[in-house]
Amino acid sequence: NQWFENSFKAFACNKAVTFFRNGEMETQLTYDQLHNDINHFSNFLSAKGLKKGDRVILLLEKSVINVVACVALLKIGAVVVPLNSGFKKNELNYLLKDSKAAMVLAGLDKKELIEEIYPCAIFLQIPTHLPYEDLEFFRSCPQSFLRPKLSQSDPGLIIYTSGTTGNPKGAVLSHGNLVCDAGNVISIWDITQKDVVCHALPLFHVHGLCFALFTALLSGSHVMMLDSFTPETVQQRLSSKDPEDTCSIFMAVPAMYTRLLDFVEGKKVEKKKNDFSHMRLWTSGSAPLLEKEFDRITRICGKNPVEREGMSETGMNFSNPLNGRKKPGSIGLPLPGVTVRIVNPETCEDVTSGEVGEIWLKSLSITKGYWEKPVETADTFQDGWFKTGDLGKKDKDGYYYLTDRIKHLIITGGENVSAKEVETVINQLEGVKEAAVVGIPDEKWGEKVVALVEKYPGVELSESKIKAVCKEQLHNLKCPKKIMFSDHIPKNTMGKVLKEKVKQFFYSY
Ligand code: ATP
Ligand code: MG
């Protein structure tokens, strides 16, 4: 019940959040100030008639008020539903109706749209474009706040999955789930009040909200919050040597690393500006980190990145060790309290050690189910185990690897082909930035393997050359029957490859 309260008290005078807009510092708050503002805001929300258990959509650009609103909602026992404020009408239409939210907090530009598609909710307009200090609307509410009684099993957050394999589903995370997950991450990465976290992730997925923001606020770290990711502003932040605000941790998705490293390598930034020796932890997750990017981070940032795995439904499940071997291509070891099985999805029996199967999990940070989706919930759980839908294996040292998603397996000529295996072969070719492999319908084979390839600019690389290399290294069934080139592989905001969009390239061909 007191999970945020305790940390805010313990770290009262420390800096909590410094917010940067377009690379310029805009606001700085101590834990004490943040705590007081959260109380003002909690009273403001209660006065609007919100009750424990009400769902509230946060459709806000990244901002300090977004953080304040989120914690205030948790505090009053409402269920926070954070959404991407860049979503368009169709996307919002589905999510707003699915969540059955009682209230929507959104920026000025959303008023008309929300009133059109979701008029039943209370609409609160929040001017996120203004400097935080100028927002007065909630500060006239009292500063002391009496919390309602909350239990571990009360829902705190509904996080919609990324929609990589179908419509997004709302994973309901309880206060108990959130505390367990944040505590796990803080302990394995040893996050303390000495840390300064560079935060360039969005606040509507577990990565940016739970793993980066909640862990920082609960451990008394100082969050350097950037309004959005750009390579320029992140490089500037990470290389700043201001004695009090020198960053120590950066958490990102692989696509952010690629853009950051391209920028650092490509631009003639003074060498000393790219000295990141003060950084103690570079983490990567949400999507696979290519081995060549692991090597590039190691070379340019001076340390091995720590790759980890997590899901909206579960929080973080695996991480490479902070102190210990970080294996490229591996998601690492299970977090404390996470029990893992690797199961043959057809027989539901454990596979022989080292073989590929579906990853099943048990942990206190795992959701009890999806919001109003009893069928999907029933399909996802078996005998108390959460079935991730991800295929993976374990090596002899106990490190885990994701090999593919079950839904992305390609079935060609009756055989299962892992897109990732084919992608790995193509990614090794010089000049290839990234490959995305999918199956498209084929009369003879059921599906056939095809690949979309992004090259580095100015590189000469032909379809026949890639096909020849695949032929050398892969069984004929796995070899792409068609290769197309594109300036970019379609990805969502978390840098996950949108395989349905990749297929479109081949349908229109
Ligand atoms: P949906 O469930 O709607 O199809 P999604 O699974 O992409 O979308 P999230 O919950 O945001 O939605 O993402 C969880 C998934 O992200 C995991 O199941 C896994 O496939 C992938 N993932 C997370 N971390 C990693 C990683 N380090 N390497 C590879 N994949 C990862
Ligand atoms: Mg998923």
Side-chain angles (χ1 to χ4, degrees):
N1 194 7
Q2 306 226 346
W3 54 295
F4 271 110
E5 208 81 347
N6 292 343
S7 77
F8 290 155
K9 264 189 214 138
F11 308 116
C13 306
N14 293 11
K15 290 179 193 169
V17 179
T18 305
F19 182 72
F20 296 83
R21 201 185 288 271
N22 301 320
E24 299 293 324
M25 183 181 138
E26 187 179 278
T27 306
Q28 189 162 74
L29 292 177
T30 63
Y31 275 90
D32 210 20
Q33 289 167 325
L34 186 61
H35 168 86
N36 289 340
D37 282 354
I38 288 166
N39 275 1
H40 285 300
F41 208 90
S42 301
N43 282 312
F44 169 78
L45 289 168
S46 300
K48 295 278 169 204
L50 271 188
K51 298 179 309 302
K52 188 176 147 180
D54 282 345
R55 285 154 314 283
V56 176
I57 303 270
L58 283 187
L59 190 64
L60 299 172
E61 277 161 42
K62 204 171 161 191
S63 52
V64 178
I65 195 70
N66 193 339
V67 177
V68 170
C70 179
V71 182
L73 286 164
L74 286 169
K75 217 166 164 172
I76 67 174
V79 184
V80 187
V81 190
L83 296 182
N84 183 345
S85 64
F87 274 161
K88 299 288 179 320
K89 187 171 168 180
N90 274 351
E91 296 157 309
L92 284 177
N93 194 28
Y94 164 75
L95 294 166
L96 292 176
K97 288 179 181 153
D98 187 73
S99 72
K100 300 206 175 110
M103 185 186 269
V104 180
L105 270 61
L108 299 183
D109 56 329
K110 295 287 186 299
K111 189 169 186 328
E112 250 173 61
L113 177 64
I114 304 294
E115 280 173 358
E116 181 194 336
I117 60 178
Y118 198 63
C120 55
I122 303 171
F123 180 78
L124 270 185
Q125 214 162 255
I126 311 279
T128 44
H129 62 289
L130 292 179
Y132 180 69
E133 283 76 11
D134 294 353
L135 302 181
E136 285 298 332
F137 65 94
F138 62 100
R139 291 208 176 89
S140 56
C141 295
Q143 197 186 295
S144 64
F145 177 75
L146 208 61
R147 278 186 316 271
K149 267 217 151 41
L150 293 174
S151 76
Q152 299 248 350
S153 59
D154 283 326
L157 204 57
I158 295 182
I159 290 278
Y160 277 91
T161 60
S162 298
T164 312
T165 58
N167 256 342
K169 300 174 293 259
V172 183
L173 298 170
S174 68
H175 284 261
N177 293 148
L178 297 174
V179 176
C180 166
D181 182 51
N184 256 343
V185 178
I186 290 169
S187 91
I188 58 154
W189 289 346
D190 198 13
I191 304 174
T192 70
Q193 56 174 319
K194 292 201 195 107
D195 280 309
V196 180
V197 180
C198 178
H199 193 298
L201 290 156
L203 292 175
F204 45 80
H205 289 297
V206 284
H207 194 165
L209 187 63
C210 304
F211 307 159
L213 182 71
F214 288 174
T215 55
L217 294 181
L218 291 171
S219 56
S221 312
H222 181 183
V223 187
M224 294 288 184
M225 183 173 279
L226 312 191
D227 60 341
S228 64
F229 171 87
T230 70
E232 292 83 354
T233 50
V234 169
Q235 188 269 345
Q236 186 190 13
R237 220 20 44 237
L238 294 180
S239 55
S240 163
K241 296 273 183 3
D242 184 330
E244 280 192 52
D245 300 341
T246 313
C247 290
S248 60
I249 300 179
F250 181 55
M251 300 186 195
V253 304
M256 288 179 173
Y257 278 110
T258 300
R259 287 181 60 198
L260 177 66
L261 300 181
D262 283 352
F263 174 75
V264 170
E265 279 193 315
K267 208 172 163 231
K268 302 271 169 286
V269 185
E270 272 178 75
K271 194 114 189 96
K272 68 171 195 295
K273 289 240 168 84
N274 289 329
D275 169 17
F276 300 120
S277 51
H278 52 279
M279 292 284 297
R280 74 168 186 92
L281 178 59
W282 306 82
T283 73
S284 174
S286 294
L289 181 67
L290 303 185
E291 292 192 25
K292 61 183 166 194
E293 291 301 75
F294 180 103
D295 292 341
R296 211 154 64 114
I297 296 172
T298 306
R299 180 164 52 79
I300 295 171
C301 303
K303 284 197 173 63
N304 286 155
V306 172
E307 182 166 10
R308 56 85 194 151
E309 185 272 355
M311 298 179 73
S312 311
E313 299 92 331
T314 63
M316 200 182 292
N317 304 305
F318 299 89
S319 172
N320 277 273
L322 176 67
N323 304 306
R325 182 149 172 226
K326 293 143 193 85
K327 294 197 185 188
S330 166
I331 51 171
L333 310 163
L335 263 61
V338 176
T339 318
V340 188
R341 280 176 68 193
I342 299 191
V343 170
N344 176 332
E346 265 137 45
T347 62
C348 295
E349 280 166 15
D350 291 62
V351 300
T352 318
S353 184
E355 274 182 15
V356 172
E358 186 180 12
I359 297 186
W360 287 19
L361 301 169
K362 256 187 199 176
S363 142
L364 290 178
S365 63
I366 297 178
T367 178
K368 287 244 167 345
Y370 297 109
W371 168 250
E372 297 214 320
K373 288 209 168 15
V375 177
E376 285 83 347
T377 301
D379 285 349
T380 307
F381 288 91
Q382 188 160 326
D383 307 326
W385 292 89
F386 174 79
K387 307 199 272 183
T388 61
D390 285 318
L391 294 169
K393 61 183 180 192
K394 179 165 91 163
D395 72 10
K396 57 181 182 352
D397 300 325
Y399 284 64
Y400 285 80
Y401 299 78
L402 291 186
T403 56
D404 234 319
R405 294 176 185 250
I406 293 180
K407 286 194 177 162
H408 287 166
L409 276 181
I410 303 163
I411 305 174
T412 180
E415 295 289 332
N416 283 349
V417 173
S418 152
K420 187 158 178 195
E421 186 185 350
V422 185
E423 286 161 1
T424 306
V425 170
I426 303 177
N427 282 334
Q428 282 161 1
L429 261 102
E430 199 161 317
V432 170
K433 194 163 185 185
E434 194 172 348
V437 169
V438 292
I440 56 166
D442 181 77
E443 277 179 19
K444 190 165 170 204
W445 300 104
E447 278 188 305
K448 68 177 171 196
V449 177
V450 296
L452 186 67
V453 174
E454 180 178 346
K455 297 187 278 193
Y456 281 106
V459 167
E460 295 249 348
L461 189 62
S462 65
E463 177 174 8
S464 53
K465 163 86 187 160
I466 300 177
K467 279 186 169 168
V469 171
C470 289
K471 230 184 175 123
E472 260 169 44
Q473 300 188 30
L474 295 167
H475 185 284
N476 194 33
L477 265 180
K478 300 179 184 172
C479 290
K481 305 299 173 285
K482 174 80 200 151
I483 290 162
M484 291 181 81
F485 295 96
S486 163
D487 294 344
H488 74 285
I489 304 282
K491 291 182 176 173
N492 67 13
T493 47
M494 297 305 273
K496 292 175 199 266
V497 176
L498 295 167
K499 296 248 163 161
E500 287 309 314
K501 288 221 166 125
V502 172
K503 289 182 189 178
Q504 295 299 325
F505 277 78
F506 296 89
Y507 295 149
S508 49
Y509 158 71

